[in-house]
Amino acid sequence: MISMIMVLNQKGDIMISRQYRDDVGRAAADSFRLQVVAAKETGTEAPVKRIENCSFLYTRHLNMYFVALTRSNVNPALVFEYLFQLIKILKAYLGEEFDETAMRNNMTLIYELMDETMDFGYPQNCAVDVLRLYINLGTAKPQDEPEPSKLTSQITGAIDWRREGIRHKKNEVYIDVLESVNLLLSSTGNVLRNEVAGSVQMNTKLTGMPECKFGLNDKLVIEKDKEDRKPSVDIDDCTFHRCVRLGKFDADRTITFIPPDGEFELMRYRVTDNINLPFRIIPAVQESQNNTKVSIDLKVIANFSDQLFATHVVIKIPVPKNTSKTKIKHSFGRAKYEPEQQAIVWRVKRFAGKAQCIINAEVDLMPTVRSQPWSRPPINVEFQVPMFTGSGVHVRFLRVYDKSGYHTNRWVRYITKAGSYQIRI
Amino acid sequence: MALGKEGDARFFTTQKKGEMHELRMELHSSDRAIKVDAVKKVIASMTVGKDVSMLFTDVLKCVQTGNIELKKLVYLYLINYAKTQPELTLLAVNTFVKDASDANPLIRALAVRTMGCIRVDRITEYLCEPLSRALRDDDPYVRKTAAVCVAKLYDIAPDLVVERGFLETLHDLISDSNPSVVANGVAALSEIAETSGKDVMRISASVLQKLLAALNECTEWGQVFILDSLSKYTPADGREAEGIIERVTPRLQHANAAVVMSAVKVILSYMELMGSQNSDSIRALTRKLAPPLVTLLNSEPEIQYVALRNINLIVQKRPHILENEIKVFFCKYNDPIYVKMEKLEIIIKLVSEKNIEQVLLELKEYATEVDVDFVRKAVSAIGRCAVKLERAAERCIGVLLDLIQTKVNYVVQESVIVIKDIFRRYPNRYESIIATLCDNLDTLDEPLAKASMIWIIGEYAERIDNADELLDTFLETFEEEDPVVQLQLLTATVKCFLKDPDDTQDMVQRVLDMATEESDNPDLRDRGFIYWRLLSTDPEAAKMVVLGDKPVIEDDTFKLDPALLNVLIGQIATLSSVYHKPPEAFVIRRGAGTGTTNEDDDEEDEDDYEDENDVDGGADLLDMGGLSVNDQSQDDAAPGSRFEPTAPMNLVTGPEKSGGLEVLAGFRQYRNTIRLEMEINNVSANHVVAGLAVQLNKNAFGLSPSTQQVMCEPPAGPGGSGVAVIELVTTPNMLAPVPAGQPANPQVQVAIKNMTSGNVFYFAVNLNFEAIFSSDGAMERSSFIENWKSIDDRNELYATVGDLPSESVDIDLVQQKFQASNVFFIARRPVPNAEGQEVVYFSMRTVTDMEFLAELTFKQGVNACKICLKTENATYGLLAKKALEDLLRA
């Protein structure tokens, strides 16, 4: 199991180190500093590094290294998941962008959290809401603090993600269906990869211990239900928050759960068939014979209903390193050459559905000594389309049952974003 | 949240002089806030590596508080320093015991958790009572903490755990009503099972049902612990296996990748047991496994990496699972390099005639990217596709030729290397492209690419008009080339000569000359000679040898050995599956109980020792080879006199060379002095041997005589004999440097002048290495472990010594014997999983400060011993190993 967790800064100095087993020492930090931090290896070298039979598994947050050390044959996925959870917990306590200073300012809190979430190298309960109940920097008033025995049954209980006795004046559930469309088109226009990675985010404000049942237009469910003729989606695979009863899903594909209070990710899913691509992009990029010019023509078609519109559209068209001058013609938005990105970046705040746009750029190149050919990186597209799902997934129902039988308001939103949306040229 | 400017960072401010005193005052303050701040400052110093152990008692006093925050801080401090201050830690025991029965379950658990972390053996006796209560506590939080604590205790005192019946209690916890307790119980038992090698985690039918039930209820981590323990269980038959798989498959939908991977492991291991009659269910399972594996590739890059390394194994074992999913392994432009590299490996494993078109387009795309290593791997992947798929070979070659046209240096070189492999796989089929290759000769500057090109030229010399000219250009720089290139040049020239003897006679002569006479590379010389003799004796035979058919190669470069693969499939979701190495290769079991029990043994041994010493100290010495040291031996207090090392005397010179003397000489250490002892038999007719002058040549140890004049005692007249003892010291200026990479020469050359006769004679004597082991070479156990781990495995030496004398089979005696030669005992322990085997650790240091660490493995009833020696001074490793062997045999 994990022997030690360290947090190092960019220079490799130890900011936090918590030893869970005594088979590794602080000296190990030195080998990590020398072989990984100093070598600036992150990014090219694997995140699992073995130095003298001590394994270092690490990930980064901003410029800090979160490192787990072990001498045993651990489950590496478990180690990484724990590191991610630890970072998530720290984000919840210290803010999304917590930095070195925040770490130093809250050192004892961090030790307390690390002590509570891991014992002898075995991860323990990492649910932020539960941790907050008893690790609270002394800010909670004593009367708010639950009875210790209640607290412990909460920490260890079967439903450790929700405490009992929650009350809300209004019972509401906000459901966000977020999709990111991944696309990889070859330069000849063939689809190499196309999939939607979706997630269902919930924000529940419900009283008591409500039992929820949730349904999407999942093809496997709808086919069983002959009367329902609505369009359905073939979901390749999905994963669920731990509150969902997996056994039940496996048996009849119903999604049932007692939700945590507040925000959480109910599920993730993956769809690869019949995807509606929000944008079609047709590029034509030509390099002149003598390597002095590149001419780019790009047609962009918004492939969704004209009732909708896309926002934050950014299209990055790569140009060679030795670009000297660009001449760009386009009908709307703003486009300019950004040398630090080595690309022409075209930004459109609002792109109406069914709209089309052509952008044309003439790029002059500086002569270079080395005639290394241009690697022609792919065009990269970013966008957001509200109230649209690339997969066609929609929420069919959310039923909430509670003893008190209250009424629940439900709000559903859909947003499709670009994941890695790339077109090779 | 209280994130004011006044955070903990202020505690990190550097400590000025007197601040310790100030801290101490603050720790004793009656104001709680000041106290808490002071402890925080102490912890801050501890974090940055400052030594604050002197505040131990002061911090300890703060433990008696009702404030849980302060208590946690003090406990944190205690864990860190308990090891260095074991006596003082005992003062905290009362608090622990009191806290362990506090009304607040959080405090009870905290006390048990902390006590378990304090690895001081004396505290364990106090731990047992509270732990035993905690295991039966009403509160599940305390029970789950206690479960892990049993594993902690087992690590320090395994016997105690067994004695107190904690293992049984732990087993009972598997049936606990609380899932978190079950999970930690399983984790603790699994760990104990693994370290002890005993089957303490027996899974019976009822336990199995309980585990499967808990699987649905416990936390994500608990699910991982349970799944991992299930993967070690062997179901009775295919039906049971199927039943368990059915309960496990829903876990594939879990959001936590660790749960998914552990579930995959269970399913894959059990699939083996389902047998072929179940092919339908196996096919159904195969279908079910693919989507979750693909989903893992949408996770964070770190998880992707772990998943890809595992998938690499899975596609080798069960290629069907992902045969239609090759597209998901296509690289995204912004994937980290380490992910791209792994994806590429899997693409090659999944490539088939169906998808080769697509794959080639993809690989060609990668070959234009920026990262050199990735590009090279992509190019080489194209070659591997060609070798793997005969029908696609031509298309692959087409792509490679396109790539060569880009003229990018490293692309061309890598292409040449793989084209050579394609030629070897499909001889006489694609030689038409040789011309294109020859156009790019100038770009080649890497040895491997050059060597490949030269191989091609030699192999197809008859089809290349100017093959001899091409080779000739390479020959100009023959001497500067890398050995790989030289070897290829030699072979290619010989091939060329055999195919066209008339034009290339000069060239082949020149190469053979260079290879055999001017090179100091033995491989090259040997090959040169072989060719030379072949060519000069029987050119026809030479043709058969050099131009003979070569075996066809296959693409097996990255395939794992089936036996290893099976081992690794059982290790899915462990580091082993990431390294593609069995766990033994990187996990060094410290074994249970290297901690305390042995320390006691150690002391006892030493006691025994001295007793023996008193009894027969002087007596044994009388047998010591007739050396004139008896008079000194009475007050000999050196330990282990029973095994007092003697100098191994060897005849070093006869009368003919030394002017009538027969000399036996050998080294030994006596009372911390290294000495060269000589027995001199005077067989001359006239000289007397009395005063001698000594000189040593420079040697690998820096030995030189402390005084040049020694006396032969008693002076030996004609026909008489005497003994001369030369005391030696080590000085750096007498050190003959040992060439790196070569073992040190044990030989010491000695010159002796007989002062009476004026005769000078020379001899050489090998140093028995133990003679220069220093008496202060004993090492702390902890630093031994540190050092042992820090020395690279490459600097490891092995030997097996058989036919040991009976006294060398008894470990206690070996210890004494070794100690007498300054080889110091560190620890011994039984080998887990191997009945009757025991390993013993020793350390030794030479007077020149070279350290050697040794691990000796003995097996009961076998008079042999395995030695494993580790040292940073690799050049002297062999000597040290030999010394140990000799000591054992002596």
Side-chain angles (χ1 to χ4, degrees), chain B residues 47 122 179 185 403 405 528 620 637:
Chain B
T47 300
R122 301 243 318 262
L403 289 174
Q405 299 306 338
D620 260 354

Side-chain angles (χ1 to χ4, degrees), chain A residues 218-236:
Chain A
D218 177 359
K219 197 172 178 180
L220 286 178
V221 177
I222 293 191
E223 267 173 7
K224 268 190 264 166
D225 192 0
K226 291 273 160 41
E227 291 127 58
D228 206 333
R229 293 267 170 232
K230 279 181 196 148
S232 60
V233 174
D234 190 357
I235 295 175
D236 284 38

Side-chain angles (χ1 to χ4, degrees), chain B residues 781-798:
Chain B
R781 187 190 308 265
S782 55
S783 54
F784 179 88
I785 294 171
E786 268 308 297
N787 286 359
W788 182 268
K789 285 172 185 160
S790 73
I791 297 174
D792 199 285
D793 289 348
R794 274 173 306 185
N795 295 338
E796 224 171 76
L797 292 164
Y798 297 95

Side-chain angles (χ1 to χ4, degrees), chain A residues 66-78:
Chain A
F66 282 72
V67 193
L69 287 73
T70 178
R71 284 193 187 274
S72 62
N73 190 18
V74 296
N75 182 335
L78 175 104

Side-chain angles (χ1 to χ4, degrees), chain B residues 434 438 460-470 496 500 503:
Chain B
I434 291 176
C438 291
Y460 299 101
E462 67 274 24
R463 308 189 199 198
I464 308 170
D465 295 336
N466 55 347
D468 48 338
E469 286 169 33
L470 293 176
C496 207
D500 178 16
D503 293 341

Side-chain angles (χ1 to χ4, degrees), chain B residues 248-263:
Chain B
V248 168
T249 25
R251 298 298 120 197
L252 295 173
Q253 250 71 50
H254 204 287
N256 187 316
V259 177
V260 177
M261 297 202 49
S262 291

Side-chain angles (χ1 to χ4, degrees), chain B residues 276-287:
Chain B
S276 46
Q277 72 274 21
N278 253 330
S279 56
D280 281 351
S281 340
I282 288 187
R283 217 170 304 132
L285 273 176
T286 312
R287 267 202 305 277

